[in-house]
Amino acid sequence: MVRQSGNTPRTIRFYEEVGLIRPRGRTQGGHRLYEPRELEKLQLITDLRLAGFSLEEIRVVFGLKRATADAKRASQQMMQLLNDKLEDLKRRLAALIQLKEEFAGTMSVLQNACAECKQPPGQELCSSCAEVDHGNLPRTLRWVWHLD
Amino acid sequence: MVRQSGNTPRTIRFYEEVGLIRPRGRTQGGHRLYEPRELEKLQLITDLRLAGFSLEEIRVVFGLKRATADAKRASQQMMQLLNDKLEDLKRRLAALIQLKEEFAGTMSVLQNACAECKQPPGQELCSSCAEVDHGNLPRTLRWVWHLD
DNA sequence: TTGCTCCTCACGTCACGTGAGGTGGC
DNA sequence: TTGCTCCTCACGTCACGTGAGGTGGC
């Protein structure tokens, strides 16, 4: 289960604690035994976690059919959940891309200014460098490049 | 600060507790006062959190310049961090997209089978429906559609 | 027989959330 | 003056991580 799912033993035991999976039984020495069905369930749980589902939401997923007693509505709710998570990941990705562009864009320009710099590199010098308009740096770069 | 950054007061106080931001001072009644500079820093922290940075990694970002004392290497390390997070988000997005496709793909087929179904919808009936080969359902659907 | 892995408590961690009880500021 | 917001403890929560001390299984 550990190797096939990429989780730690502790994580698998924790999923059992909260009632998501369950071993078929135990070996005489106390080691847990699982059916292939449980491995598949664990892998689905792992993928749902990666996709941003909380354990509570995963519990909802596994209870959708029971809760609605109507496969069509259950499927629609599942799609709703998936789309919500997709929106969330897209927002995160957009934030990251913007940070990267903000940062990378001006970085190359500054690298040139530094390459031509006659002063030895140092914190005080760079933060007061006349070649660089610190006030106009994008915020990301300002906080990495600048002091405090 | 709350309105302009989209965080709760508790979150902002927490960032102060761990030393990421700091109010300029207090009003006579105890309310925190911030400089515009701190709002910008808070907004950057918020975006980095959205992008998947931990508070510890954000502390590293703000300490990069001091730690390396070399703006070029500091920038390279920042790009490394950004790319690591990008890879992480891409993996999560790929997992989600696959779940969606697995699910949506067969769902439409099943909807037809159900539309033509003569039986009233019910848990026991659907899980043993002869029209649906439960063993060949993609795992996502199998766990939502099926029982247990 | 030697290691590596699993076992069970049980406390720790990260990033806040959530009352409880009280005051501030427009 | 009425509300809404902020304040400070302080305990709770989510999803595990991390030893401590002991056994299992190839």
Side-chain angles (χ1 to χ4, degrees):
Chain A
M1 293 286 272
V2 168
R3 283 192 303 277
Q4 308 259 5
S5 77
N7 291 296
T8 67
R10 172 62 175 134
T11 297
I12 298 175
R13 282 192 288 268
F14 181 70
Y15 291 165
E16 181 185 340
E17 277 180 48
V18 299
L20 282 176
I21 57 174
R22 199 175 23 165
R24 191 204 64 193
R26 299 289 187 116
T27 196
Q28 123 279 20
H31 288 209
R32 272 161 259 251
L33 295 169
Y34 296 95
E35 293 181 4
R37 200 178 164 64
E38 286 302 291
L39 173 58
E40 189 196 47
K41 192 175 188 183
L42 176 57
Q43 285 168 333
L44 178 53
I45 293 172
T46 306
D47 287 345
L48 288 168
R49 291 284 300 132
L50 257 181
F53 283 64
S54 71
L55 294 186
E56 183 54 34
E57 288 169 324
I58 291 173
R59 237 198 308 274
V60 168
V61 167
F62 290 130
L64 271 182
K65 186 70 182 307
R66 236 179 316 275
T68 57
D70 173 349
K72 196 166 192 169
R73 290 180 66 86
S75 296
Q76 284 169 352
Q77 293 195 26
M78 181 63 182
M79 282 308 284
Q80 182 65 49
L81 273 171
L82 286 168
N83 281 326
D84 290 351
K85 295 304 168 185
L86 187 57
E87 286 311 304
D88 185 61
L89 277 185
K90 279 184 178 170
R91 282 192 313 112
R92 290 172 182 277
L93 198 59
L96 179 49
I97 302 267
Q98 200 201 328
L99 284 170
K100 244 193 97 170
E101 286 177 355
E102 262 182 35
F103 192 76
T106 350
M107 202 183 77
S108 52
V109 177
L110 288 183
Q111 296 282 353
N112 289 338
C114 292
E116 294 170 9
C117 183
K118 277 108 192 128
Q119 309 295 331
Q123 301 184 6
E124 307 78 11
L125 291 170
C126 289
S127 61
S128 64
C129 177
E131 304 296 318
V132 178
D133 179 3
H134 290 87
N136 272 344
L137 291 180
R139 55 188 186 144
T140 327
L141 239 162
R142 183 147 73 235
W143 286 104
V144 175
W145 206 269
H146 212 2
L147 294 176
D148 281 322
Chain B
M1 292 285 273
V2 168
R3 282 190 304 276
Q4 309 257 4
S5 77
N7 292 295
T8 67
R10 171 62 175 135
T11 296
I12 298 175
R13 281 192 290 267
F14 181 70
Y15 291 165
E16 181 184 342
E17 278 180 48
V18 298
L20 283 175
I21 57 174
R22 201 174 22 164
R24 192 203 64 195
R26 301 288 190 117
T27 196
Q28 123 278 18
H31 289 207
R32 273 163 258 251
L33 294 169
Y34 296 95
E35 293 182 4
R37 200 178 164 64
E38 286 301 292
L39 172 59
E40 189 196 46
K41 193 175 188 185
L42 176 58
Q43 285 168 332
L44 178 54
I45 293 172
T46 306
D47 286 345
L48 288 169
R49 291 283 302 133
L50 256 182
F53 283 63
S54 71
L55 294 187
E56 182 53 35
E57 287 169 325
I58 292 174
R59 236 198 309 273
V60 168
V61 166
F62 290 129
L64 270 183
K65 185 73 181 306
R66 235 178 317 274
T68 57
D70 174 349
K72 197 167 194 169
R73 290 181 64 87
S75 297
Q76 283 167 353
Q77 294 195 27
M78 182 62 183
M79 281 308 283
Q80 182 64 49
L81 273 172
L82 286 169
N83 280 327
D84 290 351
K85 295 302 170 189
L86 187 57
E87 286 311 305
D88 186 60
L89 277 185
K90 279 183 179 170
R91 283 191 313 110
R92 292 173 180 277
L93 198 59
L96 179 50
I97 302 267
Q98 200 200 328
L99 285 171
K100 244 193 98 171
E101 286 177 355
E102 263 181 36
F103 192 77
T106 350
M107 203 183 78
S108 52
V109 177
L110 288 182
Q111 297 280 355
N112 288 339
C114 292
E116 293 171 8
C117 182
K118 276 110 194 128
Q119 311 295 331
Q123 302 184 6
E124 308 79 11
L125 291 170
C126 289
S127 61
S128 65
C129 176
E131 304 295 319
V132 178
D133 178 4
H134 289 86
N136 272 345
L137 289 181
R139 55 192 185 140
T140 327
L141 240 160
R142 184 146 73 236
W143 286 105
V144 175
W145 206 269
H146 211 2
L147 293 178
D148 282 321

PDB file of all heavy atoms in Angstrom, chain B residues 117-145:
ATOM      1  N   CYS B 117     -33.444   3.370 -18.622  1.00  0.00           N
ATOM      2  CA  CYS B 117     -33.673   2.354 -17.595  1.00  0.00           C
ATOM      3  C   CYS B 117     -35.160   2.298 -17.249  1.00  0.00           C
ATOM      4  O   CYS B 117     -35.811   3.332 -17.058  1.00  0.00           O
ATOM      5  CB  CYS B 117     -32.854   2.679 -16.339  1.00  0.00           C
ATOM      6  SG  CYS B 117     -33.013   1.446 -15.034  1.00  0.00           S
ATOM      7  N   LYS B 118     -35.689   1.113 -17.173  1.00  0.00           N
ATOM      8  CA  LYS B 118     -37.119   0.952 -16.846  1.00  0.00           C
ATOM      9  C   LYS B 118     -37.360   0.913 -15.346  1.00  0.00           C
ATOM     10  O   LYS B 118     -38.486   1.095 -14.880  1.00  0.00           O
ATOM     11  CB  LYS B 118     -37.668  -0.343 -17.473  1.00  0.00           C
ATOM     12  CG  LYS B 118     -38.084  -0.161 -18.928  1.00  0.00           C
ATOM     13  CD  LYS B 118     -37.123  -0.891 -19.858  1.00  0.00           C
ATOM     14  CE  LYS B 118     -37.313  -0.449 -21.296  1.00  0.00           C
ATOM     15  NZ  LYS B 118     -36.020  -0.046 -21.912  1.00  0.00           N
ATOM     16  N   GLN B 119     -36.304   0.636 -14.594  1.00  0.00           N
ATOM     17  CA  GLN B 119     -36.455   0.515 -13.149  1.00  0.00           C
ATOM     18  C   GLN B 119     -36.446   1.895 -12.490  1.00  0.00           C
ATOM     19  O   GLN B 119     -35.784   2.806 -12.972  1.00  0.00           O
ATOM     20  CB  GLN B 119     -35.306  -0.306 -12.552  1.00  0.00           C
ATOM     21  CG  GLN B 119     -35.047  -1.619 -13.263  1.00  0.00           C
ATOM     22  CD  GLN B 119     -36.209  -2.583 -13.135  1.00  0.00           C
ATOM     23  OE1 GLN B 119     -36.941  -2.535 -12.135  1.00  0.00           O
ATOM     24  NE2 GLN B 119     -36.429  -3.425 -14.130  1.00  0.00           N
ATOM     25  N   PRO B 120     -37.167   2.042 -11.395  1.00  0.00           N
ATOM     26  CA  PRO B 120     -37.064   3.286 -10.625  1.00  0.00           C
ATOM     27  C   PRO B 120     -35.660   3.376 -10.028  1.00  0.00           C
ATOM     28  O   PRO B 120     -35.060   2.349  -9.732  1.00  0.00           O
ATOM     29  CB  PRO B 120     -38.102   3.105  -9.515  1.00  0.00           C
ATOM     30  CG  PRO B 120     -38.282   1.625  -9.396  1.00  0.00           C
ATOM     31  CD  PRO B 120     -38.070   1.070 -10.769  1.00  0.00           C
ATOM     32  N   PRO B 121     -35.152   4.601  -9.888  1.00  0.00           N
ATOM     33  CA  PRO B 121     -33.790   4.744  -9.361  1.00  0.00           C
ATOM     34  C   PRO B 121     -33.696   4.258  -7.924  1.00  0.00           C
ATOM     35  O   PRO B 121     -34.578   4.533  -7.111  1.00  0.00           O
ATOM     36  CB  PRO B 121     -33.527   6.253  -9.449  1.00  0.00           C
ATOM     37  CG  PRO B 121     -34.867   6.880  -9.525  1.00  0.00           C
ATOM     38  CD  PRO B 121     -35.772   5.892 -10.179  1.00  0.00           C
ATOM     39  N   GLY B 122     -32.677   3.535  -7.637  1.00  0.00           N
ATOM     40  CA  GLY B 122     -32.496   3.029  -6.274  1.00  0.00           C
ATOM     41  C   GLY B 122     -31.100   2.484  -6.134  1.00  0.00           C
ATOM     42  O   GLY B 122     -30.483   2.103  -7.103  1.00  0.00           O
ATOM     43  N   GLN B 123     -30.605   2.478  -4.942  1.00  0.00           N
ATOM     44  CA  GLN B 123     -29.222   2.059  -4.729  1.00  0.00           C
ATOM     45  C   GLN B 123     -28.985   0.626  -5.166  1.00  0.00           C
ATOM     46  O   GLN B 123     -28.056   0.323  -5.907  1.00  0.00           O
ATOM     47  CB  GLN B 123     -28.871   2.198  -3.251  1.00  0.00           C
ATOM     48  CG  GLN B 123     -29.044   3.604  -2.738  1.00  0.00           C
ATOM     49  CD  GLN B 123     -28.599   3.730  -1.296  1.00  0.00           C
ATOM     50  OE1 GLN B 123     -28.063   2.792  -0.739  1.00  0.00           O
ATOM     51  NE2 GLN B 123     -28.827   4.875  -0.710  1.00  0.00           N
ATOM     52  N   GLU B 124     -29.840  -0.290  -4.721  1.00  0.00           N
ATOM     53  CA  GLU B 124     -29.596  -1.703  -4.989  1.00  0.00           C
ATOM     54  C   GLU B 124     -29.727  -1.979  -6.479  1.00  0.00           C
ATOM     55  O   GLU B 124     -28.952  -2.732  -7.063  1.00  0.00           O
ATOM     56  CB  GLU B 124     -30.590  -2.583  -4.222  1.00  0.00           C
ATOM     57  CG  GLU B 124     -30.641  -2.272  -2.736  1.00  0.00           C
ATOM     58  CD  GLU B 124     -31.468  -1.025  -2.443  1.00  0.00           C
ATOM     59  OE1 GLU B 124     -32.152  -0.555  -3.379  1.00  0.00           O
ATOM     60  OE2 GLU B 124     -31.410  -0.518  -1.322  1.00  0.00           O
ATOM     61  N   LEU B 125     -30.717  -1.353  -7.102  1.00  0.00           N
ATOM     62  CA  LEU B 125     -30.926  -1.600  -8.521  1.00  0.00           C
ATOM     63  C   LEU B 125     -29.733  -1.120  -9.341  1.00  0.00           C
ATOM     64  O   LEU B 125     -29.184  -1.852 -10.155  1.00  0.00           O
ATOM     65  CB  LEU B 125     -32.204  -0.881  -8.984  1.00  0.00           C
ATOM     66  CG  LEU B 125     -33.488  -1.502  -8.406  1.00  0.00           C
ATOM     67  CD1 LEU B 125     -34.676  -0.606  -8.703  1.00  0.00           C
ATOM     68  CD2 LEU B 125     -33.698  -2.892  -8.998  1.00  0.00           C
ATOM     69  N   CYS B 126     -29.290   0.133  -9.110  1.00  0.00           N
ATOM     70  CA  CYS B 126     -28.203   0.692  -9.911  1.00  0.00           C
ATOM     71  C   CYS B 126     -26.910  -0.105  -9.732  1.00  0.00           C
ATOM     72  O   CYS B 126     -26.180  -0.325 -10.686  1.00  0.00           O
ATOM     73  CB  CYS B 126     -27.948   2.149  -9.530  1.00  0.00           C
ATOM     74  SG  CYS B 126     -29.271   3.239 -10.077  1.00  0.00           S
ATOM     75  N   SER B 127     -26.652  -0.554  -8.533  1.00  0.00           N
ATOM     76  CA  SER B 127     -25.370  -1.211  -8.300  1.00  0.00           C
ATOM     77  C   SER B 127     -25.331  -2.611  -8.897  1.00  0.00           C
ATOM     78  O   SER B 127     -24.278  -3.218  -8.974  1.00  0.00           O
ATOM     79  CB  SER B 127     -25.061  -1.265  -6.807  1.00  0.00           C
ATOM     80  OG  SER B 127     -26.062  -2.001  -6.135  1.00  0.00           O
ATOM     81  N   SER B 128     -26.493  -3.101  -9.316  1.00  0.00           N
ATOM     82  CA  SER B 128     -26.482  -4.427  -9.937  1.00  0.00           C
ATOM     83  C   SER B 128     -27.048  -4.352 -11.352  1.00  0.00           C
ATOM     84  O   SER B 128     -27.422  -5.357 -11.929  1.00  0.00           O
ATOM     85  CB  SER B 128     -27.306  -5.400  -9.091  1.00  0.00           C
ATOM     86  OG  SER B 128     -28.661  -4.992  -9.096  1.00  0.00           O
ATOM     87  N   CYS B 129     -27.118  -3.137 -11.885  1.00  0.00           N
ATOM     88  CA  CYS B 129     -27.737  -2.930 -13.194  1.00  0.00           C
ATOM     89  C   CYS B 129     -26.991  -3.698 -14.271  1.00  0.00           C
ATOM     90  O   CYS B 129     -25.772  -3.625 -14.383  1.00  0.00           O
ATOM     91  CB  CYS B 129     -27.742  -1.444 -13.547  1.00  0.00           C
ATOM     92  SG  CYS B 129     -28.396  -1.112 -15.199  1.00  0.00           S
ATOM     93  N   ALA B 130     -27.736  -4.407 -15.075  1.00  0.00           N
ATOM     94  CA  ALA B 130     -27.120  -5.236 -16.116  1.00  0.00           C
ATOM     95  C   ALA B 130     -26.611  -4.384 -17.283  1.00  0.00           C
ATOM     96  O   ALA B 130     -25.757  -4.815 -18.045  1.00  0.00           O
ATOM     97  CB  ALA B 130     -28.122  -6.256 -16.635  1.00  0.00           C
ATOM     98  N   GLU B 131     -27.147  -3.176 -17.393  1.00  0.00           N
ATOM     99  CA  GLU B 131     -26.739  -2.304 -18.498  1.00  0.00           C
ATOM    100  C   GLU B 131     -25.329  -1.753 -18.281  1.00  0.00           C
ATOM    101  O   GLU B 131     -24.693  -1.277 -19.197  1.00  0.00           O
ATOM    102  CB  GLU B 131     -27.698  -1.111 -18.626  1.00  0.00           C
ATOM    103  CG  GLU B 131     -29.155  -1.484 -18.801  1.00  0.00           C
ATOM    104  CD  GLU B 131     -29.378  -2.220 -20.110  1.00  0.00           C
ATOM    105  OE1 GLU B 131     -28.775  -1.801 -21.126  1.00  0.00           O
ATOM    106  OE2 GLU B 131     -30.109  -3.232 -20.112  1.00  0.00           O
ATOM    107  N   VAL B 132     -24.884  -1.770 -17.038  1.00  0.00           N
ATOM    108  CA  VAL B 132     -23.607  -1.146 -16.710  1.00  0.00           C
ATOM    109  C   VAL B 132     -22.602  -2.204 -16.269  1.00  0.00           C
ATOM    110  O   VAL B 132     -22.869  -2.976 -15.353  1.00  0.00           O
ATOM    111  CB  VAL B 132     -23.792  -0.121 -15.569  1.00  0.00           C
ATOM    112  CG1 VAL B 132     -22.447   0.501 -15.203  1.00  0.00           C
ATOM    113  CG2 VAL B 132     -24.788   0.954 -15.988  1.00  0.00           C
ATOM    114  N   ASP B 133     -21.464  -2.213 -16.950  1.00  0.00           N
ATOM    115  CA  ASP B 133     -20.403  -3.133 -16.555  1.00  0.00           C
ATOM    116  C   ASP B 133     -19.559  -2.468 -15.460  1.00  0.00           C
ATOM    117  O   ASP B 133     -18.583  -1.788 -15.726  1.00  0.00           O
ATOM    118  CB  ASP B 133     -19.529  -3.479 -17.759  1.00  0.00           C
ATOM    119  CG  ASP B 133     -18.382  -4.406 -17.368  1.00  0.00           C
ATOM    120  OD1 ASP B 133     -18.329  -4.815 -16.197  1.00  0.00           O
ATOM    121  OD2 ASP B 133     -17.551  -4.704 -18.238  1.00  0.00           O
ATOM    122  N   HIS B 134     -19.964  -2.665 -14.233  1.00  0.00           N
ATOM    123  CA  HIS B 134     -19.316  -1.966 -13.124  1.00  0.00           C
ATOM    124  C   HIS B 134     -17.824  -2.226 -13.057  1.00  0.00           C
ATOM    125  O   HIS B 134     -17.052  -1.384 -12.644  1.00  0.00           O
ATOM    126  CB  HIS B 134     -19.974  -2.361 -11.798  1.00  0.00           C
ATOM    127  CG  HIS B 134     -21.345  -1.802 -11.654  1.00  0.00           C
ATOM    128  ND1 HIS B 134     -22.465  -2.438 -12.158  1.00  0.00           N
ATOM    129  CD2 HIS B 134     -21.782  -0.658 -11.099  1.00  0.00           C
ATOM    130  CE1 HIS B 134     -23.533  -1.710 -11.888  1.00  0.00           C
ATOM    131  NE2 HIS B 134     -23.161  -0.625 -11.243  1.00  0.00           N
ATOM    132  N   GLY B 135     -17.406  -3.414 -13.465  1.00  0.00           N
ATOM    133  CA  GLY B 135     -15.981  -3.748 -13.390  1.00  0.00           C
ATOM    134  C   GLY B 135     -15.144  -2.905 -14.333  1.00  0.00           C
ATOM    135  O   GLY B 135     -13.967  -2.685 -14.088  1.00  0.00           O
ATOM    136  N   ASN B 136     -15.760  -2.396 -15.410  1.00  0.00           N
ATOM    137  CA  ASN B 136     -14.988  -1.628 -16.385  1.00  0.00           C
ATOM    138  C   ASN B 136     -15.143  -0.117 -16.247  1.00  0.00           C
ATOM    139  O   ASN B 136     -14.595   0.644 -17.037  1.00  0.00           O
ATOM    140  CB  ASN B 136     -15.371  -2.047 -17.814  1.00  0.00           C
ATOM    141  CG  ASN B 136     -14.522  -3.224 -18.252  1.00  0.00           C
ATOM    142  OD1 ASN B 136     -13.506  -3.523 -17.635  1.00  0.00           O
ATOM    143  ND2 ASN B 136     -14.945  -3.889 -19.319  1.00  0.00           N
ATOM    144  N   LEU B 137     -15.891   0.314 -15.254  1.00  0.00           N
ATOM    145  CA  LEU B 137     -16.012   1.759 -15.030  1.00  0.00           C
ATOM    146  C   LEU B 137     -14.649   2.310 -14.629  1.00  0.00           C
ATOM    147  O   LEU B 137     -13.883   1.632 -13.949  1.00  0.00           O
ATOM    148  CB  LEU B 137     -17.004   2.033 -13.891  1.00  0.00           C
ATOM    149  CG  LEU B 137     -18.474   1.777 -14.151  1.00  0.00           C
ATOM    150  CD1 LEU B 137     -19.274   2.125 -12.907  1.00  0.00           C
ATOM    151  CD2 LEU B 137     -18.954   2.605 -15.331  1.00  0.00           C
ATOM    152  N   PRO B 138     -14.323   3.536 -15.034  1.00  0.00           N
ATOM    153  CA  PRO B 138     -13.128   4.161 -14.459  1.00  0.00           C
ATOM    154  C   PRO B 138     -13.337   4.289 -12.954  1.00  0.00           C
ATOM    155  O   PRO B 138     -14.460   4.484 -12.490  1.00  0.00           O
ATOM    156  CB  PRO B 138     -13.046   5.523 -15.137  1.00  0.00           C
ATOM    157  CG  PRO B 138     -14.385   5.750 -15.737  1.00  0.00           C
ATOM    158  CD  PRO B 138     -14.986   4.417 -15.989  1.00  0.00           C
ATOM    159  N   ARG B 139     -12.221   4.190 -12.235  1.00  0.00           N
ATOM    160  CA  ARG B 139     -12.299   4.129 -10.764  1.00  0.00           C
ATOM    161  C   ARG B 139     -13.118   5.254 -10.142  1.00  0.00           C
ATOM    162  O   ARG B 139     -13.901   5.033  -9.231  1.00  0.00           O
ATOM    163  CB  ARG B 139     -10.900   4.165 -10.172  1.00  0.00           C
ATOM    164  CG  ARG B 139     -10.172   5.385 -10.671  1.00  0.00           C
ATOM    165  CD  ARG B 139      -8.722   5.417 -10.399  1.00  0.00           C
ATOM    166  NE  ARG B 139      -8.277   6.719 -10.866  1.00  0.00           N
ATOM    167  CZ  ARG B 139      -7.405   7.470 -10.257  1.00  0.00           C
ATOM    168  NH1 ARG B 139      -6.822   7.034  -9.169  1.00  0.00           N
ATOM    169  NH2 ARG B 139      -7.085   8.640 -10.725  1.00  0.00           N
ATOM    170  N   THR B 140     -12.950   6.491 -10.659  1.00  0.00           N
ATOM    171  CA  THR B 140     -13.672   7.624 -10.086  1.00  0.00           C
ATOM    172  C   THR B 140     -15.166   7.354 -10.086  1.00  0.00           C
ATOM    173  O   THR B 140     -15.858   7.474  -9.081  1.00  0.00           O
ATOM    174  CB  THR B 140     -13.421   8.902 -10.896  1.00  0.00           C
ATOM    175  OG1 THR B 140     -12.121   8.865 -11.420  1.00  0.00           O
ATOM    176  CG2 THR B 140     -13.633  10.119 -10.042  1.00  0.00           C
ATOM    177  N   LEU B 141     -15.630   6.994 -11.283  1.00  0.00           N
ATOM    178  CA  LEU B 141     -17.050   6.752 -11.422  1.00  0.00           C
ATOM    179  C   LEU B 141     -17.495   5.543 -10.627  1.00  0.00           C
ATOM    180  O   LEU B 141     -18.572   5.524 -10.048  1.00  0.00           O
ATOM    181  CB  LEU B 141     -17.369   6.548 -12.900  1.00  0.00           C
ATOM    182  CG  LEU B 141     -18.361   7.564 -13.445  1.00  0.00           C
ATOM    183  CD1 LEU B 141     -18.298   7.645 -14.936  1.00  0.00           C
ATOM    184  CD2 LEU B 141     -19.754   7.208 -12.976  1.00  0.00           C
ATOM    185  N   ARG B 142     -16.617   4.533 -10.609  1.00  0.00           N
ATOM    186  CA  ARG B 142     -16.985   3.315  -9.885  1.00  0.00           C
ATOM    187  C   ARG B 142     -17.277   3.632  -8.423  1.00  0.00           C
ATOM    188  O   ARG B 142     -18.226   3.124  -7.839  1.00  0.00           O
ATOM    189  CB  ARG B 142     -15.852   2.290  -9.983  1.00  0.00           C
ATOM    190  CG  ARG B 142     -16.204   0.976  -9.327  1.00  0.00           C
ATOM    191  CD  ARG B 142     -15.590  -0.222 -10.035  1.00  0.00           C
ATOM    192  NE  ARG B 142     -14.164  -0.331  -9.824  1.00  0.00           N
ATOM    193  CZ  ARG B 142     -13.259  -0.384 -10.800  1.00  0.00           C
ATOM    194  NH1 ARG B 142     -13.621  -0.299 -12.053  1.00  0.00           N
ATOM    195  NH2 ARG B 142     -11.975  -0.494 -10.528  1.00  0.00           N
ATOM    196  N   TRP B 143     -16.492   4.528  -7.863  1.00  0.00           N
ATOM    197  CA  TRP B 143     -16.675   4.814  -6.440  1.00  0.00           C
ATOM    198  C   TRP B 143     -17.820   5.770  -6.155  1.00  0.00           C
ATOM    199  O   TRP B 143     -18.371   5.774  -5.064  1.00  0.00           O
ATOM    200  CB  TRP B 143     -15.380   5.365  -5.822  1.00  0.00           C
ATOM    201  CG  TRP B 143     -14.350   4.297  -5.649  1.00  0.00           C
ATOM    202  CD1 TRP B 143     -13.239   4.096  -6.412  1.00  0.00           C
ATOM    203  CD2 TRP B 143     -14.342   3.262  -4.675  1.00  0.00           C
ATOM    204  NE1 TRP B 143     -12.545   2.999  -5.966  1.00  0.00           N
ATOM    205  CE2 TRP B 143     -13.194   2.471  -4.890  1.00  0.00           C
ATOM    206  CE3 TRP B 143     -15.197   2.914  -3.624  1.00  0.00           C
ATOM    207  CZ2 TRP B 143     -12.879   1.363  -4.118  1.00  0.00           C
ATOM    208  CZ3 TRP B 143     -14.883   1.818  -2.847  1.00  0.00           C
ATOM    209  CH2 TRP B 143     -13.731   1.060  -3.097  1.00  0.00           C
ATOM    210  N   VAL B 144     -18.172   6.590  -7.135  1.00  0.00           N
ATOM    211  CA  VAL B 144     -19.297   7.497  -6.922  1.00  0.00           C
ATOM    212  C   VAL B 144     -20.610   6.793  -7.237  1.00  0.00           C
ATOM    213  O   VAL B 144     -21.599   6.929  -6.527  1.00  0.00           O
ATOM    214  CB  VAL B 144     -19.152   8.773  -7.786  1.00  0.00           C
ATOM    215  CG1 VAL B 144     -20.385   9.638  -7.656  1.00  0.00           C
ATOM    216  CG2 VAL B 144     -17.915   9.541  -7.385  1.00  0.00           C
ATOM    217  N   TRP B 145     -20.566   6.014  -8.328  1.00  0.00           N
ATOM    218  CA  TRP B 145     -21.786   5.379  -8.821  1.00  0.00           C
ATOM    219  C   TRP B 145     -22.160   4.177  -7.980  1.00  0.00           C
ATOM    220  O   TRP B 145     -23.311   3.971  -7.625  1.00  0.00           O
ATOM    221  CB  TRP B 145     -21.515   4.896 -10.257  1.00  0.00           C
ATOM    222  CG  TRP B 145     -22.731   4.795 -11.108  1.00  0.00           C
ATOM    223  CD1 TRP B 145     -23.528   3.694 -11.273  1.00  0.00           C
ATOM    224  CD2 TRP B 145     -23.288   5.816 -11.913  1.00  0.00           C
ATOM    225  NE1 TRP B 145     -24.530   3.965 -12.143  1.00  0.00           N
ATOM    226  CE2 TRP B 145     -24.413   5.262 -12.543  1.00  0.00           C
ATOM    227  CE3 TRP B 145     -22.946   7.140 -12.165  1.00  0.00           C
ATOM    228  CZ2 TRP B 145     -25.198   6.012 -13.433  1.00  0.00           C
ATOM    229  CZ3 TRP B 145     -23.730   7.859 -13.038  1.00  0.00           C
ATOM    230  CH2 TRP B 145     -24.837   7.300 -13.648  1.00  0.00           C
TER     231      TRP B 145
END
